[in-house]
Each structure stands twice: as C-alpha cells, then as structure tokens.
Amino acid sequence: MSGIYLHIPFCKQACSYCDFYFVTRQEIRKDFVNRICEEIDRYAATRYSEEPVKTIYLGGGTPSLLEVGEIERIFIHIEKVFRLEPEEITMEINPDDVTVDYLKGLRSLGIDRASMGIQSFDADRLIFMNRAHTPDEARFSLEVLSRAGFRIFTTDLIYGNPGQETEELEADIDQLLAFDPPHISAYALTIEPRTRLGKQVELGRLNPADDDLVSDHIDLLNEKLSANGIYRYEVSNYSKPGFEAVHNGSYWRHENYLGFGPSSHSFWWDDEKGASRWKSENNINLYLSEPFEELYMEKENLPMDELGEERLFLGLRTSAGVSLDELHNRYDYQLSARQREWISQKKDEGLLQFDKQIIALTGDGVKIADHLIVELLTRK
Ligand code: SF4
C-alpha cells in the first residue's frame, strides 16, 4: 500500500514563520492544475501504479485556495492512474477559506479528514504570525467543520512563541477543546533563518522563547489534552485513541509514497537492499515549463544501514518507540556497544524507556528529542 502527497503551492500572504515552499501568484493556478494532472499521468502503467493507494494528502501552501472543481480534476487523474483503496484522504484548509458549501464540496469528493490551520485564537498573535485569518474566522471555521461530516478533523496550534504567556496558550487550548477535536498537531515555534521572524532575530529585534517557557508549554499541553482524552503519539501530534494520522504514520514507517507538485518528496523501496528518495524542484516556473525528468533533483539511493538509522530516528519521535527486532529483521541494523551503554544511562536518568526490546522516549525525553536522537546516532 502506498500514499500520495500533493503539494499545492499557493498562499494569500507569507506567514512570518513559514519556511515551506509557496507563491502568492494565484493567476497561474489553472496552469498548475493542468501540470500536476500531467505529472500524475506519467505514472500510468509503471511499477508505482501497481500498488494500491491507501492515503492521499493535499498539503501546501494552501490547498483550500483551489476550487472544488480543480481538486476534482486532480482526483480524476489519480483515479485513472492508480488503484485506490483509500483509508484516509486529508486536506489542509485555512480558516479564511471556509464556507459551508466549500466543505460540502470537499466531502462530496471523498475527502474525509480536514486539517484546519488555526495556529492561535489570539488576535495579536495572529498578527505577529501574519496569518490571513482572524480569531472569529478561526472559531467559525471550527464550528462549521465540526458539523460538516468529516470522519475526522484536526487543527494546528503553535506554542513557544516569543513572549507568549502560559495563560495565552491555555486560552488557545480551551477554545480548541470546546470543539472536541479528535486530533491536534501542536508545534513549538521554530524560527528559521529565511523567514521574516528569522530576519528579526538576526537584526536583534526579536528573542526566541527560552527553553523553560517552551518546556512549560509542553507540560500544559500534555496535561490539558490528556485530561480530555487526547494523547501525544508523536512529538508534535496528539489524538484520541484510534484517530492517529494514517498518512504521516506511513512516512515514519518507511512505506512507499509519491509526491506531486513543486518541492514535494517521494520515497520508494527498490528492493531488499534499499530505497530511493527524490525531491521535485521548489520553483513553480520550472515546474510549469521544464521537462519532468529535469525537475527531480536531489535523488538519493538509501542503503539499508541509512534506512535503519532513519527508522530509529523516526521511531523515537513516536510514543510507540522503535523495536530493536524490527531494526534487525527489516534493516539488518544493530546497535553498537556504545549506543547500548548510552541507552542504559539515559534510562537511569529517566529520559528513555527500554523494555521488551522497544526503546521509547519518556515525557521528559520528548522535550529534548532532537538532542537525544543526535547523541544516540553519533554513538554508532
Ligand atoms: S499559509 Fe501555510 S504555507 Fe502559506 S505561508 Fe502560511 S504557513 Fe506557510
């Protein structure tokens, strides 16, 4: 079973923290839809189209800038080329694009999981983030969404903002919980150099939130969400049991997927010796004009030892952790003596659990997940 990711690279404006690939020129939308349909058609009768497709994910950018008819066209091409056995079809939606009719249209196409980019309900915070929506639009979108008949909906929330008091985050969480969301993706703000916030930090006009504040925010999220039956299952993802994201889970488990659109990634197993990963150029002009063969840059062949290391890294970000038996049987990957020694030390420090051949981070370990994972990998 495989997954399909569609990168829809249009946005109304640049959010101040955003490091994704997007353009604000909407006038080329029609050309883009034509082109992504052509890109999908190229996979007809290839080894990639033999496997049934279990998930489709429309991300961006802002997929909700596409009209229902445009998404329908893309889906018609997918159905023509691939064998669909969908367990989950997700679309990212921005609150300012929501109308009752639009959501009905998406449901009629079989989209059953809506991901709403809320980020915050605080008016000043939304201005700081340069989001295109207002707190009222955020509330309206969730009201309509919770009645629109999606099998599942999820919302994004950003915490760990500079100067964000814990009370502000608490108010955000309370407002979100009022809509009884089955799934929440909560991200600590990371300030990337190429973004507007990155420039402000570089000029000394903004200080990122300190680690203690971020740690308090994580504690608050865990406490409030788990009190409402919503549990963390990955560093940035929380859900009620049974509502975990299928598509993203397949990235963490190294299942095959194909990406379409500029800056999308694909991953495919070649044989028992390894897999390939490739990325499409993040340039809409080239995407629209160049032959497809020239758009796939950064093609990597991933041998088993690299894949094993990556599985260890991805598995440690999940609450299920990673099984040493799986690492051995699937990737022929063995931990070194130094790694085993480090694991037992971190277990004593309360940062890791190691039981029945499964390693997982504890609540304290998750807060410094990236740091711990680098330490473990460099001990190979
Ligand atoms: S809407 Fe999403 S992709 Fe577009 S600029 Fe904002 S964060 Fe980035």
Side-chain angles (χ1 to χ4, degrees):
M1 302 287 272
S2 63
I4 286 180
Y5 173 80
L6 303 161
H7 190 81
I8 313 299
F10 301 107
C11 290
K12 287 182 186 162
Q13 59 195 51
C15 299
S16 58
Y17 56 87
C18 182
D19 194 31
F20 296 120
Y21 178 67
F22 66 91
V23 292
T24 49
R25 284 183 293 139
Q26 314 288 325
E27 63 279 7
I28 49 175
R29 214 178 65 206
K30 202 165 160 228
D31 295 336
F32 167 79
V33 172
N34 290 337
R35 188 68 171 160
I36 201 166
C37 290
E38 268 180 56
E39 190 182 14
I40 292 163
D41 290 347
R42 293 182 71 242
Y43 285 84
T46 62
R47 70 182 176 118
Y48 304 100
S49 56
E50 282 166 11
E51 224 171 271
V53 171
K54 122 177 132 166
T55 58
I56 300 176
Y57 191 102
L58 290 97
T62 312
S64 53
L65 287 176
L66 292 187
E67 289 168 6
V68 171
E70 291 170 327
I71 300 169
E72 186 177 18
R73 260 199 76 203
I74 297 173
F75 279 12
I76 288 171
H77 283 258
I78 291 176
E79 273 171 6
K80 221 170 52 191
V81 171
F82 296 96
R83 192 149 51 91
L84 297 186
E85 293 179 17
E87 280 175 33
E88 181 188 275
I89 305 181
T90 304
M91 177 164 150
E92 293 176 358
I93 302 169
N94 272 354
D96 41 309
D97 297 325
V98 168
T99 64
V100 174
D101 285 347
Y102 188 67
L103 294 186
K104 271 192 197 158
L106 300 182
R107 286 291 302 119
S108 74
L109 298 180
I111 294 169
D112 64 349
R113 186 172 183 273
S115 172
M116 192 65 75
I118 297 291
Q119 321 305 354
S120 172
F121 292 95
D122 184 276
D124 293 335
R125 187 62 59 198
L126 289 171
I127 292 170
F128 168 80
M129 292 177 181
N130 200 37
R131 295 288 298 176
H133 68 272
T134 63
D136 282 346
E137 283 171 326
R139 282 184 283 270
F140 171 77
S141 69
L142 287 176
E143 256 168 52
V144 180
L145 186 59
S146 54
R147 289 185 276 111
F150 287 87
R151 185 180 57 80
I152 176 167
F153 71 93
T154 175
T155 58
D156 287 352
L157 199 64
I158 297 181
Y159 62 90
N161 288 283
Q164 185 180 24
E165 299 291 342
T166 307
E167 292 71 30
E168 182 190 321
L169 177 63
E170 188 160 18
D172 274 348
I173 300 171
D174 287 341
Q175 294 197 64
L176 202 49
L177 287 173
F179 296 96
D180 193 22
H183 188 285
I184 295 173
S185 296
Y187 302 96
L189 181 76
T190 29
I191 300 186
E192 303 291 347
R194 292 182 312 135
T195 61
R196 191 191 296 187
L197 293 184
K199 301 270 175 325
Q200 288 181 9
V201 169
E202 198 182 306
L203 293 169
R205 292 187 191 145
L206 184 75
N207 291 318
D210 66 42
D211 292 348
D212 288 344
L213 179 95
V214 176
S215 168
D216 289 348
H217 283 187
I218 294 174
D219 288 341
L220 181 70
L221 270 162
N222 286 337
E223 191 188 304
K224 293 203 73 116
L225 298 187
S226 59
N228 284 274
I230 304 170
Y231 303 99
R232 185 175 54 212
Y233 66 97
E234 196 263 352
V235 169
S236 310
N237 286 289
Y238 297 76
S239 80
K240 293 183 182 173
F243 289 92
E244 295 83 1
V246 182
H247 184 85
N248 285 352
S250 63
Y251 295 154
W252 310 329
R253 289 188 299 271
H254 275 152
E255 291 169 15
N256 288 337
Y257 60 87
L258 291 175
F260 298 94
S263 99
S264 61
H265 292 255
S266 302
F267 173 91
W268 208 269
W269 283 94
D270 293 318
D271 50 32
E272 68 285 351
K273 292 202 192 90
S276 299
R277 181 179 286 123
W278 61 100
K279 182 180 180 234
S280 168
E281 189 98 49
N282 47 0
N283 181 320
I284 187 77
N285 295 331
L286 295 181
Y287 182 73
L288 294 179
S289 60
E290 292 297 309
F292 284 110
E293 305 71 55
E294 289 172 31
L295 292 176
Y296 300 126
M297 49 190 285
E298 295 175 23
K299 178 151 185 174
E300 298 170 88
N301 293 316
L302 303 161
M304 277 312 208
D305 54 342
E306 248 178 69
L307 288 163
E309 194 164 277
E310 197 175 82
R311 177 71 187 105
L312 176 60
F313 160 81
L314 295 168
L316 279 176
R317 292 177 59 86
T318 65
S319 60
V322 61
S323 145
L324 294 193
D325 290 340
E326 183 200 340
L327 289 178
H328 177 59
N329 298 336
R330 191 179 182 198
Y331 303 94
D332 197 20
Y333 184 91
Q334 309 262 21
L335 292 180
S336 68
R338 284 180 71 219
Q339 283 177 312
R340 285 183 178 273
E341 197 183 309
W342 181 89
I343 286 169
S344 103
Q345 190 192 330
K346 295 299 152 191
K347 191 180 167 194
D348 292 345
E349 290 171 24
L351 296 169
L352 269 180
Q353 292 165 336
F354 184 30
D355 189 28
K356 298 195 180 116
Q357 293 295 93
I358 293 177
I359 327 170
L361 297 181
T362 60
D364 284 340
V366 167
K367 290 182 182 172
I368 49 167
D370 290 344
H371 169 77
L372 289 176
I373 289 165
V374 170
E375 277 198 4
L376 175 60
L377 296 183
T378 49
R379 272 166 177 74
K380 182 76 175 152

